[in-house]
Amino acid sequence: MNGKTLTKTPVVFGLAILCCVLWGSATPSIKIGYEVFNIASNDTASQILFAGMRFVLAGILTILFGSILSKRVLLPKKTSLAPIVKLAMVQTILQYTFFYIGHAHTSGVKAAIINGSNVFLAILFAVLIFKREKMTWVKLLACILGFAGIVTINLTGGSGGIDLSFTFAGEGAIIISASAYALSSVLIKKYSQNENPVMMSGYQFFLGGAVMCAAAFIAGGRISGFTLSSSALLLYLAMISSVAYTVWGILLKYNPVAKVAVFGFTNPIFGVILSAIFLGEKNQAFGVRGIIALALVSVGIFMVNREKE
């Protein structure tokens, strides 16, 4: 598939939605993984080990796919090492340590919607910290709508099946994870000006995953329950990151950022729908509060991505 083909709207639509479906499927896949690998909700070390194994595999697959697409082995330059280390610390280690901990202590639906706040946090980081964008009324309204969705999902459940509970290990960890993702998004935008984004993703996945595995193993983390089906699930989780980031990076290479990023608003939608289907959280996903929260977050993300600078 050549560069001209990758700029056609139907192709962009299909590939971008594929990425968002994959990312949305991570939420129920992780929670199912905890069950098949016998990882308890209070076993933080094993949760981090599980995440680390996923990203070591994701790094290998990303480098492999990227090398095949580039028709050369992707190797980092000396100037690439610092960005790779920084991204590994923020995007993989910080983000996914709290992402996995949070998923063990809250529902898949709540995690998917709360994690949608990363779009608004990315805007705040870009505006207030990195000074790369200007705050506009559209962006401000989108942020308000998004965080209103997060508040709504935590209101007393009633028929929606969602309660007012908020714990640091659950919802708090997901918010920290979303913040790390937002920060990494700004860093990727900065570093990708001079570096291959696919190469950076592959090596930072591998480095971050290796650090997580080592730290978790030393802390007593252990994984059991390896079968053909559970191993396939682990490989699928690795492929989610590998395939989605590789395809997303290719789309960004041949298209304006806004044309691709607009599809990001579907991430929480797919996360909620797939959690409802595979985790049996239909009350939370399709209850009144769940639908309102999802709508608020989705509208906010859509507004941010559609605004013309």
Side-chain angles (χ1 to χ4, degrees):
M1 190 176 293
N2 56 44
K4 187 176 180 180
T5 302
L6 288 166
T7 63
K8 294 182 178 180
T9 299
V11 176
V12 174
F13 175 85
L15 293 177
I17 290 297
L18 169 65
C19 293
C20 294
V21 171
L22 288 171
W23 281 322
S25 70
T27 292
S29 296
I30 290 169
K31 296 184 77 67
I32 293 172
Y34 288 154
E35 294 183 11
V36 298
F37 285 110
N38 305 310
I39 301 173
S41 62
N42 61 351
D43 190 355
T44 301
S46 295
Q47 292 160 16
I48 296 173
L49 179 59
F50 180 38
M53 292 169 63
R54 169 192 175 185
F55 288 106
V56 167
L57 287 173
I60 294 171
L61 291 173
T62 301
I63 296 168
L64 177 62
F65 292 155
S67 297
I68 293 173
L69 291 170
S70 301
K71 297 181 180 179
R72 62 182 178 84
V73 178
L74 290 182
L75 295 173
K77 300 173 294 186
K78 281 189 177 181
T79 56
S80 308
L81 298 180
I84 287 172
V85 171
K86 291 177 183 178
L87 284 173
M89 292 294 296
V90 177
Q91 187 180 20
T92 298
I93 298 173
L94 181 61
Q95 179 189 175
Y96 282 101
T97 293
F98 284 98
F99 188 81
Y100 272 67
I101 292 172
H103 275 72
H105 295 86
T106 190
S107 71
V109 167
K110 287 178 74 174
I113 296 179
I114 293 173
N115 202 49
S117 67
N118 56 38
V119 174
F120 317 113
L121 293 172
I123 292 173
L124 295 179
F125 284 142
V127 171
L128 302 177
I129 299 177
F130 291 89
K131 311 293 184 182
R132 299 184 68 91
E133 297 183 14
K134 293 181 180 180
M135 180 60 79
T136 65
W137 284 107
V138 173
K139 290 176 182 175
L140 181 60
L141 178 58
C143 289
I144 293 172
L145 285 172
F147 283 107
I150 295 173
V151 172
T152 301
I153 202 67
N154 280 285
L155 292 175
T156 302
S159 62
I162 301 170
D163 57 33
L164 191 60
S165 65
F166 184 97
T167 65
F168 176 78
E171 293 78 12
I174 296 296
I175 290 175
I176 293 174
S177 173
S179 300
Y181 173 87
L183 178 57
S184 70
S185 296
V186 181
L187 292 176
I188 289 172
K189 184 175 180 64
K190 176 182 177 181
Y191 295 143
S192 63
Q193 303 302 313
N194 302 310
E195 304 287 348
N196 183 328
V198 177
M199 179 277 295
M200 284 197 303
S201 290
Y203 283 97
Q204 72 90 4
F205 278 151
F206 183 85
L207 175 61
V211 171
M212 293 171 74
C213 283
F217 190 82
I218 292 173
R222 299 293 185 271
I223 302 293
S224 62
F226 281 95
T227 63
L228 184 60
S229 59
S230 63
S231 297
L233 176 64
L234 179 59
L235 181 61
Y236 175 72
L237 280 166
M239 290 185 65
I240 287 175
S241 297
S242 178
V243 173
Y245 275 102
T246 298
V247 172
W248 199 259
I250 293 171
L251 289 175
L252 288 172
K253 179 178 180 179
Y254 293 104
N255 297 277
V257 173
K259 184 176 181 179
V260 179
V262 67
F263 295 97
F265 86 95
T266 62
N267 286 346
I269 294 177
F270 289 123
V272 167
I273 292 174
L274 293 173
S275 290
I277 293 172
F278 292 106
L279 302 178
E281 297 174 356
K282 294 182 176 61
N283 286 337
Q284 292 191 41
F286 304 115
V288 174
R289 288 177 177 81
I291 293 173
I292 292 174
L294 183 58
L296 288 170
V297 171
S298 298
V299 169
I301 295 175
F302 182 80
M303 289 174 61
V304 170
N305 284 282
R306 289 295 294 176
E307 185 187 28
K308 295 183 179 180
E309 297 292 343

